[in-house]
């Protein structure tokens, strides 16, 4: 086989691979408990089904404009204004086939070969590989002293003449932590001063617990959107439980947005018309669906925290949002891939190794599934380890 160096060097998505492992074992009738998942199990908003149904009834399912339908962009603009305090125009938005594609559009639009993109660990599994796909170099900044949040000054210290962007995902997959206001403010200041893009992966932005809010980078910006280095990525996968619809989007300056549209036009033309209609329906229905989802996840977070506390040697920073916990299991086994393999083999529990997120010794355990699975899954882990 004559494959490219890029294809040969690319790692697999650990999360998607483990999803497959869990689903295959389930299909074989094995009593597997999937604590490695990354999608809520709730039904999607009624409005989403209705809107896509209307389009199907009309039999008019065609290409849409590359950057998305006017109807969905209108909803995204209203949503962004409500939750981020900035009102984008239609020329500031690109609707993509998932937040993943929106991030890719961005990276390809700003990276020249060898440029650097900085992000803190723990990071979402796909960031390093996506940066490499755009021929860039990922630069990873680890937290200190056993914490889960890197320091803004450490990130700043890694900026070089090759730095094109800083990526921040808050609330964070996998840690569930929310980066504090001072941290976000500092990154905005640094990016505006140094001419570096700040990509905010806001995909879990409304899944924050205990009345907390994840700070929006736009709140600290001194520049209007069209001069801003801030790019906000969002979508319906997590907050509206619509992972299979594959709708995400970016909000950015017009100049950057036009470049991202060119990329998308050559790669995928436009996102699915049906899915865009569904996403518009979900956003219109909005608030109450997300509030209920968040409240349910907060209860499951509490169950996960209580169950993990029963293990003698686990260290956990209580998650503040998302549906992931990221616990330190290094006192049992420092090699997280080995531990994840052991738990699958001996306990039939799927957990994602921390090393896939750039922090060894941890496991990511999700609480987006059924409460009984959280309890049974962690209790099986406890039987093996304690
Ligand atoms: N960013 C983060 C941090 C995620 O966890 C995910 C989940 N897959 C994505 C982006 C991509 O989401 P999607 O492509 O499903 O919109
Ligand atoms: N974001 C989810 C996760 O981290 C879904 C899988 C993926 O897209 O990587 O598990």
């Amino acid at each position: 086989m004559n494959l490219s160096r890029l294809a040969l060097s690319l790692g697999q998505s650990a999360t998607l691979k483990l999803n497959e492992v869990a689903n295959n074992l389930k299909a074989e009738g094995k009593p597997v408990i999937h604590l490695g998942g990354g999608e809520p199990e709730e039904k999607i908003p009624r409005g989403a089904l209705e809107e896509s149904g209307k389009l199907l009834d009309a039999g008019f399912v065609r290409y849409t404009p590359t950057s998305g339908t006017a109807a969905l962009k209108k909803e995204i603009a209203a949503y962004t204004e409500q939750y981020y305090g900035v009102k984008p125009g239609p020329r500031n938005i690109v609707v993509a086939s998932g937040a993943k594609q929106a991030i890719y559009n961005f990276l390809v639009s700003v990276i020249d070969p060898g440029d650097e993109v900085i992000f803190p660990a723990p990071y979402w599994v796909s960031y390093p590989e996506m940066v490499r796909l755009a021929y860039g170099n990922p630069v990873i900044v680890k937290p200190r002293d056993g914490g889960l949040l890197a320091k803004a000054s450490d990130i700043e210290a890694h900026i070089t003449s090759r730095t094109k962007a800083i990526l921040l995902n808050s609330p964070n997959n996998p840690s569930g932590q929310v980066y504090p206001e001072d941290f976000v403010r500092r990154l905005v200041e640094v990016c505006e001063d140094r001419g570096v893009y700040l990509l905010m992966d806001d995909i879990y932005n409304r899944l924050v617990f205990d009345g907390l809010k994840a700070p929006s980078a736009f709140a600290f910006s001194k520049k209007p959107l069209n001069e801003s280095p801030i790019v906000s990525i969002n979508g319906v996968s997590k907050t509206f439980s619509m992972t299979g619809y594959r709708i995400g989007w970016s909000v950015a300056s017009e100049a950057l947005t036009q470049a991202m549209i060119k990329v998308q036009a050559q790669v995928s033309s436009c996102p699915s018309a049906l899915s865009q209609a569904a996403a518009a329906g979900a956003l219109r229905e909005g608030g109450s669906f997300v509030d209920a989802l968040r409240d349910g996840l907060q209860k499951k977070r509490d169950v996960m925290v209580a169950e993990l506390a029963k293990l003698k040697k686990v260290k956990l920073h209580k998650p503040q949002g998302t549906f992931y916990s990221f616990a330190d299991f290094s006192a049992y086994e420092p090699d997280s891939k080995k531990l994840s393999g052991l738990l699958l083999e001996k306990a039939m529990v799927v957990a994602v190794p921390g090393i896939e997120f750039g922090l060894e010794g941890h496991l990511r355990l999700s609480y987006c599934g059924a409460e009984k699975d959280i309890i049974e899954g962690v209790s099986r882990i406890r039987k093996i380890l304690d």
Side-chain angles (χ1 to χ4, degrees):
M1 259 192 295
N2 196 7
L3 298 178
S4 69
R5 275 195 290 272
L6 180 64
L8 289 168
S9 70
L10 216 55
Q12 259 186 331
S13 162
T15 44
L16 295 181
K17 192 172 141 211
L18 280 174
N19 266 344
E20 260 179 57
V21 168
N23 290 337
N24 290 343
L25 286 170
K26 269 186 201 157
E28 287 168 23
K30 300 267 165 56
V32 66
I33 293 194
H34 188 16
L35 297 182
E39 52 191 344
E41 57 170 13
E42 275 67 12
K43 284 206 178 128
I44 68 167
R46 189 79 231 143
L49 287 172
E50 281 167 9
E51 286 303 317
S52 47
K54 272 189 218 158
L55 205 62
L56 275 181
D57 284 344
F60 190 77
V61 185
R62 300 268 186 261
Y63 289 136
T64 75
T66 296
S67 63
T69 62
L72 177 53
K73 284 187 176 187
K74 192 169 150 232
E75 297 304 330
I76 291 171
Y79 185 84
T80 309
E81 185 176 27
Q82 184 174 358
Y83 295 104
Y84 299 84
V86 65
K87 177 142 198 209
R91 290 172 60 80
N92 298 111
I93 297 169
V94 191
V95 183
S97 303
K100 219 173 205 170
Q101 189 181 26
I103 298 169
Y104 180 73
N105 287 341
F106 165 77
L107 293 171
V108 171
S109 299
V110 304
I111 292 176
D112 283 316
D115 281 347
E116 294 165 0
V117 176
I118 308 176
F119 46 88
Y123 48 75
W124 179 43
V125 280
S126 287
Y127 288 165
E129 300 311 287
M130 290 175 87
V131 170
R132 287 193 192 104
L133 260 181
Y135 292 97
N137 291 328
V139 175
I140 292 153
V141 179
K142 291 200 172 172
R144 303 189 206 192
D145 309 327
L148 291 176
L149 298 175
K151 285 184 187 316
S153 53
D154 285 347
I155 292 179
E156 199 179 337
H158 282 78
I159 295 179
T160 69
S161 58
R162 297 301 314 254
T163 305
K164 273 291 169 67
I166 295 173
L167 309 187
L168 187 70
N169 172 224
S170 176
N172 180 263
N173 174 4
S175 73
Q177 302 301 304
V178 173
Y179 283 85
E181 212 172 282
D182 282 354
F183 179 98
V184 179
R185 180 187 288 112
R186 185 70 204 133
L187 285 197
V188 172
E189 281 167 8
V190 167
C191 288
E192 290 191 345
D193 285 355
R194 310 274 299 258
V196 169
Y197 287 106
L198 176 59
L199 181 130
M200 297 292 293
D201 183 341
D202 286 325
I203 188 116
Y204 298 98
N205 194 265
R206 290 181 59 207
L207 301 180
V208 183
F209 311 136
D210 307 318
L212 268 170
K213 283 214 162 69
S216 154
F218 290 119
F220 309 114
S221 175
K222 291 189 198 76
K223 302 194 177 202
L225 181 57
N226 278 335
E227 289 161 35
S228 174
I230 300 170
V231 181
S232 170
I233 301 287
N234 221 315
V236 293
S237 281
K238 312 294 172 174
T239 32
F240 293 94
S241 193
M242 289 169 65
T243 47
Y245 280 80
R246 311 305 307 124
I247 293 292
W249 58 83
S250 53
V251 171
S253 70
E254 279 190 28
L256 176 58
T257 297
Q258 293 317 303
M260 290 164 71
I261 293 172
K262 266 198 282 180
V263 172
Q264 182 159 294
Q266 301 296 7
V267 173
S268 65
S269 302
C270 65
S272 142
L274 266 183
S275 295
Q276 291 188 68
L283 290 183
R284 209 168 294 133
E285 189 168 317
S288 57
F289 179 90
V290 184
D291 290 347
L293 177 65
R294 185 204 55 228
D295 291 348
L297 288 171
Q298 180 173 322
K299 284 196 192 107
K300 290 188 202 177
R301 184 272 317 256
D302 292 340
V303 173
M304 178 61 90
V305 170
E307 292 305 306
L308 282 173
K310 295 179 189 166
L311 273 105
K312 290 191 188 118
K313 292 189 271 181
V314 155
K315 280 188 246 154
L316 177 70
H317 295 269
K318 188 174 177 179
Q320 298 166 306
T322 71
F323 33 72
Y324 309 109
S325 64
F326 198 60
D328 183 346
F329 279 77
S330 58
Y332 293 106
E333 168 58 66
D335 182 331
S336 58
K337 275 195 182 166
K338 211 164 150 187
L339 183 58
S340 159
L342 177 90
L343 295 178
L344 184 59
E345 190 196 334
K346 303 256 189 248
M348 276 279 151
V349 172
V350 178
V352 191
I355 190 70
E356 304 288 1
F357 307 94
L359 268 198
E360 189 48 299
H362 291 70
L363 289 179
R364 189 188 80 175
L365 300 169
S366 306
Y367 45 88
C368 50
E371 196 176 310
K372 68 171 183 19
D373 282 350
I374 300 171
I375 295 170
E376 168 69 13
V378 180
S379 127
R380 286 191 201 173
I381 296 177
R382 186 153 55 98
K383 272 188 206 130
I384 301 287
L385 297 183
D386 278 344

